[in-house]
Amino acid sequence: MKLVRYGPLGAEKPGLIDATGALRDLSAHVDDIAGAAISPASLARLATLDHASLPPVEGEPRLGPCVGQVGKFLCIGLNYSDHAAETGATVPPEPVLFTKATSAIIGPNDDVHLPRGSTKSDWEVELAVVIGSTAKYVSEEEAEACIAGYCVVNDLSEREYQLERHGTWDKGKGCDTFGPIGPWLVTKDEVGDPCSLGMWLEVNGQRFQDGSSATMVYKPAFLVSYVSQFMSLQPGDVISTGTPPGVGMGQKPPLFLKGGDVMRLGIEKLGQQQQRVLAD
């Protein structure tokens, strides 16, 4: 299934994309695409519905973040061997784990606002894991059952704040609007192997990232298991798993976002995003 949240900011409704690509309303069956609604039992129940008989949603409403009420927005750094190489880094012996503020989360096509004074804001198309059931000290085999599905994330990053302002990466990763999520939460049964998906990103029509999740070093189930050794994961938590090469910082010379730019990005089976960049 492809699960969505649609409608005005703060008043999104639950929906799904049916087999024809039409948006259908799920409000009679779940309150939101969040928490218990994405548990294994709830997803199994939603899968049995006659999707073609659900109320159609007219027009082209705004799509919100495909997961609501996100408790933790976690990210893995340097998790693609080819991206690590382009930045002059080496893949670490254990995953690099950092937090992205939940206040960064926006819909897949909402505007991105550059932080005041930013000169080094960058793009990163990423595959994200959405947790469907609590994971605490789980093995890699047990972790698979804790995954509800996957979605696209643009892990925007202010590189000066991240790398030059001392301390952790978080200050360059959690800026407001720096976490577009969606368009859909695609359940894992529909995705199949998450480690063989094409990934791409364009800025102003020029393709910069054109990679594959196949070059991911630490795989989704391993990451869920790994993170669960340090903190419990609850339904609706999101883990963004890293980016392939082609980020602005890796260009020669480096290239960063400016007001008026338009980003388009997508992952095979998981849909596409588009954001306009605004300089406040």
Side-chain angles (χ1 to χ4, degrees):
M1 292 181 293
K2 295 182 175 72
L3 301 173
V4 301
R5 300 171 71 248
Y6 68 94
L9 176 66
E12 292 91 347
K13 295 181 178 181
L16 62 75
I17 305 297
D18 70 16
T20 70
L23 176 58
R24 302 278 179 168
D25 181 44
L26 271 178
S27 298
H29 301 278
V30 292
D31 293 332
D32 198 357
I33 306 301
I38 56 174
S39 69
S42 178
L43 292 179
R45 179 176 60 85
L46 294 178
T48 66
L49 298 175
D50 179 6
H51 296 169
S53 69
L54 294 170
V57 178
E58 303 299 332
E60 297 184 6
R62 168 188 173 269
L63 295 182
C66 62
V67 186
Q69 305 170 43
V70 175
K72 290 190 284 296
F73 191 5
L74 305 171
C75 297
I76 307 299
L78 301 174
N79 194 30
Y80 281 67
S81 54
D82 40 9
H83 169 58
E86 78 168 338
T87 62
T90 57
V91 175
E94 292 189 37
V96 172
L97 175 65
F98 61 91
T99 299
K100 204 169 175 79
T102 55
S103 52
I105 294 173
I106 58 173
N109 304 313
D110 291 344
D111 292 338
V112 165
H113 293 258
L114 299 180
R116 291 180 182 175
S118 167
T119 59
K120 295 183 179 180
S121 288
D122 203 348
W123 56 83
E124 295 187 14
V125 59
E126 301 203 2
L127 167 74
V129 177
V130 180
I131 301 299
S133 56
T134 299
K136 184 174 183 178
Y137 299 124
V138 297
S139 68
E140 188 170 348
E141 293 72 25
E142 293 168 329
E144 187 64 38
C146 300
I147 297 173
Y150 303 92
C151 65
V152 181
V153 165
N154 188 354
D155 175 23
L156 287 135
S157 311
E158 213 301 340
R159 301 300 190 188
E160 179 190 355
Y161 301 174
Q162 176 191 359
L163 302 172
E164 302 173 34
R165 299 286 293 272
H166 305 289
T168 67
W169 288 6
D170 301 53
K171 66 182 73 172
K173 293 285 191 171
C175 307
D176 291 353
T177 75
F178 269 30
I181 295 179
W184 317 308
L185 164 55
V186 185
T187 52
K188 61 185 177 184
D189 58 301
E190 187 163 328
V191 174
D193 181 7
C195 299
S196 62
L197 304 177
M199 309 169 66
W200 58 272
L201 182 145
E202 298 173 350
V203 180
N204 301 330
Q206 180 178 349
R207 183 157 296 196
F208 287 96
Q209 292 189 272
D210 196 358
S212 169
S213 61
T215 63
M216 188 186 304
V217 178
Y218 300 110
K219 312 302 184 185
F222 173 86
L223 291 171
V224 172
S225 172
Y226 181 82
V227 174
S228 80
Q229 310 307 309
F230 303 99
M231 65 192 77
S232 62
L233 297 167
Q234 283 81 38
D237 287 349
V238 175
I239 304 175
S240 200
T241 61
T243 195
V247 299
M249 180 174 64
Q251 305 302 309
K252 299 186 185 316
L255 179 66
F256 298 111
L257 294 166
K258 62 186 185 303
D261 287 344
V262 175
M263 293 175 285
R264 290 183 63 246
L265 58 146
I267 299 179
E268 183 182 358
K269 298 184 180 180
L270 303 183
Q272 300 182 19
Q273 302 182 354
Q274 177 169 307
Q275 298 104 28
R276 179 179 54 162
V277 179
L278 302 179
D280 290 341

